[in-house]
Amino acid sequence: MSINWGGLVTWGHMVNILDIIVVWFVVYELMVLLRGTKAVQLFRGIIIIVVIKLISVVVGLQTVSWIMDQVINWGIIAMVVIFQPEIRRGLEHLGRGSFFARGKQKNKDEKHMIAGLDSAIQYMSKRRIGALITIQMNTGLEDYIETGIALNAEITGELLINIFIPNTPLHDGAVIIKDNKIAVAAAYLPLSESNLIPKELGTRHRAAVGISEVTDAITIVVSEETGAVTITRNNQLIRDLSQEDYLKLLNTELIKDDDKKNNPFWEFFENFGHRGSKK
């Protein structure tokens, strides 16, 4: 039996495939925007309402179905209000063309950030000034950003050093970097309860491990006791890093090889392919 490939590969089928790909991409970007924010819980609530609506229709619960209809109808307006920060952020990305053209800066901002971090780390490490710096990656950190003092400042070594100078208003807590800017200082991060953390490590290290347990953020710790540099990510604690070590790690994680890999559309399919290849 022969297969009529001409009948399968039609313009209609190609449009349907493209339609599915676009929907997957939009859902993926929506998940990235919502992760790590309070909107995640609200989004789950919406899913529950939709499920209740479907069940009420199938079972025949007319009153419940009518109530759910009203909730959904008014919920559209409520969503615009509730998800306003996420909608604004998405539109800003779209306005900058960052969905399909991210990477045009050719990692200029990331290189500037790494240079500022390096300058601050070297200064604080030699003088044993404790520091806790978290860099947002894919998972949002909005819940933790809300606990800090807003700065929205350019990243410079001098500013980071001044933030962590002892007995200053902002030195206690974490600096959170978002979109290559210092979003906040003096933020609170969740402390890890893991028994695997060495006893000699203090609160900063526990906070660094804690945020790595719930997000994919990169967190840098400078010990005020020894001046040692530690980095955490994905629940991994990498200690006693030399300047060469942490610069290599930061460049690997933050600097993309080419503009194509900087594009989230490409990253989506690359990640999808990797997931599919797991045994």
Side-chain angles (χ1 to χ4, degrees):
M1 182 179 67
S2 62
I3 299 176
N4 184 10
W5 293 104
L8 292 175
V9 184
T10 63
W11 175 251
H13 290 159
M14 295 299 292
V15 170
N16 291 336
I17 293 172
L18 179 61
D19 189 24
I20 294 172
I21 291 173
V22 170
V23 170
W24 280 356
F25 175 67
V26 170
V27 171
Y28 170 77
E29 286 293 337
L30 181 62
M31 292 172 61
V32 169
L33 287 173
L34 293 181
R35 280 191 303 177
T37 70
K38 291 180 179 179
V40 172
Q41 285 73 31
L42 297 173
F43 192 68
R44 290 172 181 168
I46 293 171
I47 294 176
I48 292 173
I49 291 173
V50 172
V51 171
I52 293 175
K53 166 63 179 175
L54 294 175
I55 293 174
S56 65
V57 171
V58 173
V59 177
L61 304 175
Q62 296 182 1
T63 303
V64 175
S65 178
W66 181 85
I67 293 174
M68 290 300 102
D69 284 338
Q70 304 311 307
V71 171
I72 292 172
N73 290 336
W74 288 101
I76 295 175
I77 299 175
M79 283 178 60
V80 175
V81 177
I82 294 171
F83 293 115
Q84 184 267 339
E86 286 72 25
I87 294 172
R88 185 184 66 227
R89 192 168 60 204
L91 292 174
E92 287 174 352
H93 281 300
L94 185 61
R96 293 195 300 264
S98 58
F99 278 135
F100 295 101
R102 193 162 55 190
K104 294 296 184 180
Q105 294 290 328
K106 293 186 177 179
N107 298 309
K108 179 180 177 180
D109 292 338
E110 285 77 8
K111 291 176 181 177
H112 175 76
M113 175 174 65
I114 292 173
L117 289 169
D118 181 37
S119 174
I121 291 170
Q122 285 300 299
Y123 183 96
M124 293 186 290
S125 177
K126 291 175 181 177
R127 293 160 181 80
R128 297 187 180 182
I129 299 172
L132 180 62
I133 303 170
T134 295
I135 305 170
Q136 176 176 302
M137 298 298 285
N138 292 319
T139 306
L141 299 176
E142 298 302 324
D143 286 354
Y144 309 106
I145 288 175
E146 290 176 0
T147 67
I149 298 174
L151 294 180
N152 193 32
E154 296 293 333
I155 300 171
T156 65
E158 293 78 10
L159 178 55
L160 288 170
I161 292 167
N162 275 285
I163 289 173
F164 289 110
I165 292 294
N167 302 319
T168 56
L170 300 180
H171 89 283
D172 189 18
V175 160
I176 297 181
I177 294 175
K178 174 184 175 182
D179 296 332
N180 299 309
K181 285 190 174 182
I182 299 176
V184 297
Y188 292 98
L189 302 182
L191 298 180
S192 173
E193 300 294 335
S194 174
N195 294 323
L196 300 178
I197 301 175
K199 299 296 183 183
E200 67 269 17
L201 299 183
T203 304
R204 284 192 180 92
H205 291 83
R206 285 199 169 272
V209 175
I211 195 66
S212 75
E213 291 173 344
V214 295
T215 74
D216 63 349
I218 297 174
T219 302
I220 304 167
V221 183
V222 179
S223 171
E224 62 182 343
E225 285 80 19
T226 65
V229 179
T230 299
I231 289 182
T232 66
R233 191 185 186 196
N234 296 330
N235 203 16
Q236 291 185 329
L237 181 71
I238 310 172
R239 301 178 59 188
D240 301 322
L241 294 171
S242 66
Q243 182 183 24
E244 180 182 358
D245 291 335
Y246 72 70
L247 284 178
K248 182 178 179 180
L249 191 153
L250 291 176
N251 277 284
T252 299
E253 295 294 338
L254 300 174
I255 304 295
K256 302 301 181 180
D257 291 336
D258 51 55
D259 290 348
K260 179 175 68 172
K261 291 185 179 180
N262 262 326
N263 188 307
F265 194 72
W266 170 265
E267 290 175 358
F268 169 76
F269 287 104
E270 186 180 56
N271 294 335
F272 183 79
H274 287 166
R275 294 190 195 102
S277 63
K278 290 181 180 179
K279 300 293 184 181

